[in-house]
Amino acid sequence: MKLQNFVSVEDFQRLHIALGWKVLDNLAVKKALENSMLVVSAVEEGKTIGMARIIGDGYTHGFLCDVMVLPDFQGRGVGKLLVQNLMERLQEYVNKNCDEFMVELTPTKNNASFYVKCGFKHKPEEMEGCYLWLKNQNIYDKQSKKYVMHLKSSPFESIKNGHKTIEMRLNDEKRQILKNGDIIIFVNDDDNLKIIKTKIKSLHPFKNFEELYSHFDKSKLGYKKNEMASPDDMSKYYSKENIEKYGVLGIEIEVIE
């Protein structure tokens, strides 16, 4: 058996008929196959015995559909090979073109376990179908997560131009879950269409902002040469009680996009 990145209209229709699925218009099938993101078929002794394809917008969402294997060849792992082939190729595509990409599917009756074995997630208490998020492996580490933080225009631009490399926050429950390699998306509160993607290089916890300010050069905190750097500047964001309760955190970041 071999896999190929193509299926003919004739074989598509033949698989549909063999499985008792609806027969579609030939021209519609031709256009559907041409507009698919990815297609794979399984061929044995010159005969197409199965196929699958992914359709989608090419950047954020896709749908796995038409996973078909002829009845005489079911139970031999053909379907799993087809899905794995598509997901491996899709991962390569995501690495070149996307940030994160979600693949969804609607399993046929009692067939969700098959897709779970293929790596998909199935949470019937939350949704009917199955899904899987693929992340750009050039950006995300295996265990890295993505978080969103908001900034005013001045610190936002300072991070964007590479001047500010330490973001200062209260080390509360939200920040205590951060780890090296995580992604932080900074959103400009004055213009929500402006975002910066950064990666955490290192985390620096301190008892208070006085300790933090004494540890870093003021330029890394976003201050210009002619500006006075004072830990009191952070009192407008965080109360003394919360600083004493949680401590503070210097998040060392690098812009990745």
Side-chain angles (χ1 to χ4, degrees):
M1 184 181 68
K2 67 176 182 179
L3 300 181
Q4 59 185 23
N5 303 338
F6 169 82
V7 67
S8 68
V9 173
E10 180 183 12
D11 285 333
F12 180 98
Q13 297 285 46
R14 187 165 55 83
L15 288 166
H16 260 241
I17 292 171
L19 293 172
W21 292 13
K22 181 183 292 186
V23 178
L24 303 174
D25 177 80
N26 285 336
L27 180 59
V29 172
K30 179 176 182 297
K31 293 295 184 182
L33 293 173
E34 290 174 350
N35 289 318
S36 299
M37 285 185 63
L38 296 169
V39 176
V40 63
S41 62
V43 179
E44 186 164 288
E45 297 181 353
K47 180 181 181 180
T48 298
I49 62 172
M51 70 154 288
R53 67 188 181 113
I54 292 176
I55 59 177
D57 59 26
Y59 290 97
T60 62
H61 284 76
F63 191 80
L64 174 63
C65 61
D66 292 324
V67 181
M68 301 183 284
V69 178
L70 290 175
D72 291 345
F73 294 89
Q74 293 177 8
R76 291 174 38 179
V78 178
K80 188 174 183 179
L81 283 176
L82 291 169
V83 174
Q84 287 178 335
N85 174 273
L86 286 179
M87 299 312 293
E88 288 172 3
R89 289 162 57 201
L90 183 60
Q91 181 66 70
E92 293 177 0
Y93 177 89
V94 170
N95 291 345
K96 294 178 181 178
N97 301 283
C98 310
D99 175 45
E100 294 181 276
F101 191 95
M102 187 169 78
V103 187
E104 300 175 273
L105 63 94
T106 304
T108 50
K109 187 177 181 181
N110 300 321
N111 208 23
S113 60
F114 164 76
Y115 293 101
V116 172
K117 291 177 182 178
C118 293
F120 283 80
K121 299 182 185 299
H122 181 230
K123 298 180 179 179
E125 69 281 3
E126 296 179 5
M127 60 188 297
E128 294 296 330
C130 299
Y131 69 96
L132 181 64
W133 278 101
L134 297 181
K135 296 182 177 182
N136 187 319
Q137 295 173 332
N138 297 318
I139 298 174
Y140 295 89
D141 298 328
K142 212 166 190 181
Q143 302 300 321
S144 64
K145 295 184 178 180
K146 182 166 70 173
Y147 301 94
V148 175
M149 295 186 184
H150 293 258
L151 290 171
K152 293 296 183 182
S153 289
S154 180
F156 179 91
E157 292 299 328
S158 188
I159 290 176
K160 183 178 179 180
N161 62 32
H163 179 64
K164 176 178 166 66
T165 58
I166 303 292
E167 172 60 16
M168 298 174 286
R169 298 277 167 152
L170 192 70
N171 196 17
D172 57 11
E173 292 89 348
K174 291 181 179 180
R175 258 61 69 169
Q176 290 169 12
I177 62 176
L178 298 176
K179 61 183 183 299
N180 293 347
D182 282 346
I183 304 300
I184 298 178
I185 304 296
F186 288 101
V187 178
N188 188 327
D189 271 346
D190 300 314
D191 184 349
N192 291 163
L193 291 179
K194 293 182 178 180
I195 64 172
I196 307 170
K197 187 184 300 176
T198 66
K199 178 178 283 190
I200 298 177
K201 294 178 62 179
S202 186
L203 297 166
H204 306 275
F206 295 96
K207 184 178 179 180
N208 51 49
F209 286 111
E210 285 79 5
E211 289 186 2
L212 188 154
Y213 271 65
S214 66
H215 186 83
F216 295 107
D217 183 281
K218 68 177 184 179
S219 63
K220 292 185 176 182
L221 305 180
Y223 289 92
K224 297 176 182 178
K225 289 183 179 181
N226 61 344
E227 289 181 322
M228 180 71 71
S230 171
D232 291 337
D233 293 339
M234 301 304 294
S235 63
K236 68 176 93 173
Y237 304 109
Y238 305 114
S239 68
K240 182 179 179 181
E241 291 74 22
N242 278 337
I243 293 172
E244 290 178 351
K245 180 179 179 179
Y246 295 108
V248 304
L249 185 66
I251 308 170
E252 189 172 356
I253 55 175
E254 61 178 342
V255 176
I256 56 175
E257 185 175 298

